[in-house]
Structures are given as structure tokens and as C-alpha cells.
Amino acid sequence: GAGVSQTPSNKVTEKGKYVELRCDPISGHTALYWYRQSLGQGPEFLIYFQGTGAADDSGLPNDRFFAVRPEGSVSTLKIQRTERGDSAVYLCASSLMGGDIQYFGAGTRLSVL
Amino acid sequence: SQELEQSPQSLIVQEGKNLTINCTSSKTLYGLYWYKQKYGEGLIFLMMLQKGGEEKSHEKITAKLDEKKQQSSLHITASQPSHAGIYLCGAGPQGGSEKLVFGKGTKLTVNP
């Protein structure tokens, strides 16, 4: 596709449930990033992939959050035992290589009831 | 850790007016990115500045990075309703980390 694609665009879940958020980067981009944006705040870094490996996962808030990128393209952010505080917009970005300009998707708005 | 402070937090202008948004960093900037965000949409890349004193323009938007590389400004000339949105500055990768650190954003409203 022409840009970064994120699905679903909206996700409503109940406290304690498991969710998966998907990101399809720009074709040919080797670097992929996940950010989380709360209302009225700027995006906060979660994790960065270079190829298939997580090069920096220092932003993951706790072990309920996990992300994979098994084939170096599509990535999935997984959240276990969701809490109301996890409600936010989850943004994915990709760049040609690490350190290049990051291009963002439209985000997934997660609401935990 | 690096922090970015944006001012003002929000701005309402009449169409046709000029405006400036500022972004101040707690540390030296090694790359400064400006993005625009509309509700329900992702961040749209506007410009990247890396060198002290650098200035870039795209259509009616000009961004500058000061000589000491700790402050950037975004200037819009003759604003239009299409300029409305949230403007975010982001500090570029440094120290081996590729992550961007963002300010909280400036919400711009342009009244016709």
C-alpha cells in the first residue's frame, strides 16, 4: 500500500481481555515503530523493530505488552489482561531504515471498558 | 531524558493571519521533526531540521532551528482553514536510540 495501514481503526474491549493491533508498514521499510498517544499528549515511544528483531523495547510499560514482527514486514502489538489505563490511540510508524523519517499510520483507538 | 515544550498549547487565529509555534528542548537537538495531526488521523510529516540555523519552507509553512539547536519555530503565513490541526514537534534519534520524543502539541484553529 501507499502508506502505513493499521487495523482495526477502533477497538472496544472489556477489562481483562486480550487484544491484538496490527500494523502494515510502507513496502520496503525495514524499520517499524509503535507509539501510544493519550488524550492531550504527544505520542510516547513503545518499541522499535529493525527487520524482525526488536532493537529497542524500552518504552513498553510492563510485561502485559508484547510486539512481534516475524517476517520483517507486518507487526502485531499484543496487550494481555487489558486495563482501563491502556485506553489510548496506538500509532505505528515505519521508516526506510532506522533513523530515517518516520511515516505514521492513522492509529488504532483502543477503549477498555 | 529529553523533554520538548511547545507553546502556545492552543491558538485561534482569523484566516489570513500569520502565526508562530515554538518548540523548546531540554537538551541539544540532533534532529527536529515537525508533524501535523488531524482528529482521527495519523501524524503527517511536515519538515525535518538538523543543522543549527537551518530553515526550511513548504508552501506557506516555514520552520527554523536556532543556532544553539535547542529551539525550533514553525511559522505559517496567511493561514487558511486547511492549516487547522495539532502541530507536534519531535526530537530525532540520538545516542543509538531511534525513537522520537514528542512535545504535547499545539492545537491550531483557523476561523474563516
Side-chain angles (χ1 to χ4, degrees):
Chain A
V4 177
S5 176
Q6 291 188 247
T7 55
S9 55
N10 285 282
K11 175 70 177 179
V12 180
T13 191
E14 294 179 345
K15 181 176 178 296
K17 299 290 188 182
Y18 167 83
V19 296
E20 289 189 352
L21 312 180
R22 176 189 167 107
C23 173
D24 202 337
I26 293 172
S27 178
H29 280 195
T30 64
L32 185 145
Y33 315 76
W34 283 99
Y35 292 82
R36 178 169 71 173
Q37 186 175 26
S38 300
L39 194 63
Q41 303 294 316
E44 292 180 309
F45 171 80
L46 295 176
I47 187 169
Y48 152 60
F49 287 90
Q50 180 58 52
T52 60
D56 183 352
D57 64 357
S58 62
L60 294 177
N62 52 59
D63 60 6
R64 294 188 298 106
F65 288 75
F66 189 71
V68 295
R69 193 185 185 201
E71 298 179 356
S73 179
V74 171
S75 175
T76 305
L77 179 65
K78 308 180 180 190
I79 309 174
Q80 298 177 324
R81 304 183 302 279
T82 52
E83 300 178 357
R84 292 193 180 88
D86 298 334
S87 297
V89 176
Y90 289 81
L91 294 165
C92 176
S94 70
S95 64
L96 192 60
M97 296 187 68
D100 289 336
I101 295 169
Q102 296 180 26
Y103 296 92
F104 284 77
T108 294
R109 184 174 300 274
L110 175 66
S111 300
V112 182
L113 304 179
Chain B
S1 60
Q2 186 165 28
E3 293 185 356
L4 298 179
E5 184 172 338
Q6 289 188 236
S7 62
Q9 291 184 5
S10 64
L11 193 53
I12 301 173
V13 300
Q14 204 66 29
E15 183 177 359
K17 295 295 185 184
N18 302 335
L19 63 106
T20 299
I21 297 169
N22 294 301
C23 175
T24 302
S25 173
S26 60
K27 296 183 179 181
T28 299
L29 291 161
Y30 292 96
L32 190 285
Y33 296 74
W34 283 100
Y35 287 87
K36 178 184 174 184
Q37 185 175 32
K38 289 197 168 186
Y39 182 80
E41 300 179 14
L43 280 64
I44 299 168
F45 171 74
L46 296 175
M47 277 173 277
M48 177 185 70
L49 304 165
Q50 289 185 302
K51 299 176 183 177
E54 187 174 11
E55 179 175 322
K56 287 187 177 178
S57 294
H58 177 68
E59 297 181 340
K60 295 184 178 180
I61 301 177
T62 301
K64 301 178 185 179
L65 182 61
D66 77 352
E67 290 287 346
K68 294 183 178 179
K69 296 174 66 175
Q70 285 204 260
Q71 188 171 49
S72 179
S73 60
L74 186 83
H75 184 78
I76 298 177
T77 304
S79 58
Q80 301 170 351
S82 61
H83 288 129
I86 298 174
Y87 288 82
L88 292 152
C89 63
Q94 57 181 290
S97 171
E98 310 301 344
K99 65 185 179 185
L100 296 180
V101 174
F102 287 92
K104 292 185 177 181
T106 294
K107 182 179 179 182
L108 173 64
T109 303
V110 181
N111 291 324

